[in-house]
Amino acid sequence: MKRRYKWLAGVVGIAAVAVAGLAVVLARNAPCGDEPAMSADAVPMRAALARCYGGPEVIRIGTAARPSLAPDRVLVRVQAAALNPLDKHYLRGTPYLLRLSAGIGRPQDARMGVDFAGTVESVGSAVTRFKPGDVVFGGADGAFGEYVSVREGGSVARVPAGVAPDQAAALPIAAVTALQALRDHGRLNAGQRVLVNGASGGVGHYAVQLAKAMGANVTAVCSTRNVEMVRALGADVVIDYTREDFTAGAQRYDLIVDSIGNHSRGALRRVLTDDGTHVQVGRAGMGNWVGPLLGPLGALLWSQFTSQRWESMLADIEAADLDYLAQQVAAGKLSAVIDRRYALAELPEAMRYLETGRVRGKLLVDIAAP
């Protein structure tokens, strides 16, 4: 064998060993361990904690330190929080690449949850937008706890008068995802035909309502038990996927917002208009390793060879979008379907239900409930 081929084989071998080693390290679940002692000056609060990766059985309702108040931050006493599939991924540490940021072996931050609504308890010295007593909502780490701290210029907005805190708590991740899928990635215009695949879920039921508010003709795809619920949200056409495959129909769509990912791109291409757009906002059965890469890579590849646009997205929760969504709720154009409500102590049960994939709309957690 020539020397350069031996060198190349050596490099490939080293790379393969390194990748295999990284895989072993990332996939390993460390034991949960004991609850660390809080500092003497910490103020305790009640919170849901996951000190290791695993299923709902690793969740503990325990004590954590109340977030400190920096000059540019707002301390919020949480009234209600909402679950999202993202919470499941962080709980289990899957896909494993997530652990590069969340923590290898066990989570760096044991606190759980993102979506919240509550009342401002106190504000930092540099804060001007909010004051104690304001009712706010948004996204912050540790939403399944009595208090969260959020940057004034971050993912937080006021709850308009007349909007219940639980409706606001259900908005951030799911409704912002739906809005950005339609407006930013789908570039939706009034009069266009939109299909929402997974129309009864968290993102889907918001996408149906927002698309109608934007003037679109909306086709919604869901299961038999959700047909009437989705029709009540304003869908023009509702397809029961247990009886009809929308990719086999004659209708073509300008935009497909897909939170399921249960059809091939070849099948989807046939029902998109020539310049139509498919936006993937979630994918069932992604797997623990390469799954998260398949959506963006597949979208990029297909976009090079067709006139249609293929996009895969994750939402960025911005205050301006939260404001817009809250105003839509206040105007009666948007509302959350609340499937079930739980006390904080029941969070493991709520997570088990979330993992069934049968949630209609949103799941809420009442943080103040015993």
Side-chain angles (χ1 to χ4, degrees), residues 2 60-61 64 78 100 123 137 189 206 209 221-222 238 250 252 282 291 311 339 356:
K2 293 183 179 179
R60 297 290 181 267
I61 308 303
V78 181
L100 291 173
V123 299
F137 76 110
N189 293 313
Y206 284 132
Q209 297 174 78
V221 182
C222 62
V238 181
R252 302 182 78 190
E311 302 222 356
D339 188 336
T356 67

Side-chain angles (χ1 to χ4, degrees), residues 302-322:
W302 276 74
S303 293
Q304 306 306 309
F305 296 100
T306 71
S307 58
Q308 297 153 333
R309 294 174 54 244
W310 303 84
E311 302 222 356
S312 183
M313 64 161 289
L314 290 174
D316 185 12
I317 305 178
E318 299 177 350
D321 286 344
L322 293 174

Side-chain angles (χ1 to χ4, degrees), residues 6 13 18 21 69 72 75-76 91 97 115 131 201 239 250 293 304:
K6 290 182 178 180
L69 187 62
D72 65 339
L75 183 68
V76 180
L91 176 65
L97 292 177
D115 289 358
K131 64 183 185 303
I239 296 176
L293 301 177
Q304 306 306 309

Side-chain angles (χ1 to χ4, degrees), residues 59-318:
I59 300 173
R60 297 290 181 267
I61 308 303
T63 301
R66 183 189 298 185
S68 58
L69 187 62
D72 65 339
R73 300 187 78 85
V74 177
L75 183 68
V76 180
R77 186 178 183 92
V78 181
Q79 295 175 245
L83 279 82
N84 294 283
L86 180 68
D87 301 314
K88 172 189 67 176
H89 291 300
Y90 272 97
L91 176 65
R92 293 189 175 273
T94 56
Y96 294 136
L97 292 177
L98 177 71
R99 301 185 181 193
L100 291 173
S101 60
I104 296 175
R106 63 168 62 92
Q108 293 177 348
D109 188 347
R111 297 174 303 161
M112 301 178 62
V114 176
D115 289 358
F116 76 89
T119 304
V120 174
E121 183 91 353
S122 56
V123 299
S125 59
V127 172
T128 59
R129 286 179 56 212
F130 302 102
K131 64 183 185 303
D134 285 346
V135 181
V136 298
F137 76 110
D141 292 338
F144 300 146
E146 291 182 309
Y147 292 89
V148 294
S149 172
V150 60
R151 189 169 54 83
E152 178 189 25
S155 306
V156 61
R158 281 187 182 83
V159 177
V163 176
D166 57 355
Q167 283 284 320
L171 289 173
I173 288 180
V176 169
T177 298
L179 175 63
Q180 293 179 0
L182 294 165
R183 181 194 64 198
D184 303 337
H185 295 267
R187 303 173 190 175
L188 178 63
N189 293 313
Q192 290 186 315
R193 289 189 174 273
V194 178
L195 180 138
V196 179
N197 188 24
S200 63
V203 173
H205 87 290
Y206 284 132
V208 170
Q209 297 174 78
L210 290 168
K212 284 301 298 180
M214 294 177 184
N217 181 286
V218 180
T219 297
V221 182
C222 62
S223 64
T224 306
R225 75 186 187 105
N226 295 318
V227 166
E228 292 308 316
M229 182 201 89
V230 171
R231 184 174 287 120
L233 296 176
D236 298 287
V237 177
V238 181
I239 296 176
D240 179 352
Y241 70 77
T242 68
R243 300 178 180 179
E244 181 182 351
D245 179 358
F246 73 86
T247 65
Q251 183 62 59
R252 302 182 78 190
Y253 304 94
D254 300 292
L255 171 62
I256 296 176
V257 175
D258 194 347
S259 61
I260 305 297
N262 57 346
H263 292 86
S264 70
R265 285 192 171 86
L268 293 166
R269 182 182 179 185
R270 290 193 294 272
V271 292
L272 273 177
T273 58
D274 291 341
D275 58 350
T277 301
H278 176 270
V279 180
Q280 185 73 55
V281 297
R283 193 173 184 86
M286 290 194 306
N288 291 336
W289 283 107
V290 299
L293 301 177
L294 294 179
L297 290 177
L300 179 64
L301 180 64
W302 276 74
S303 293
Q304 306 306 309
F305 296 100
T306 71
S307 58
Q308 297 153 333
R309 294 174 54 244
W310 303 84
E311 302 222 356
S312 183
M313 64 161 289
L314 290 174
D316 185 12
I317 305 178
E318 299 177 350

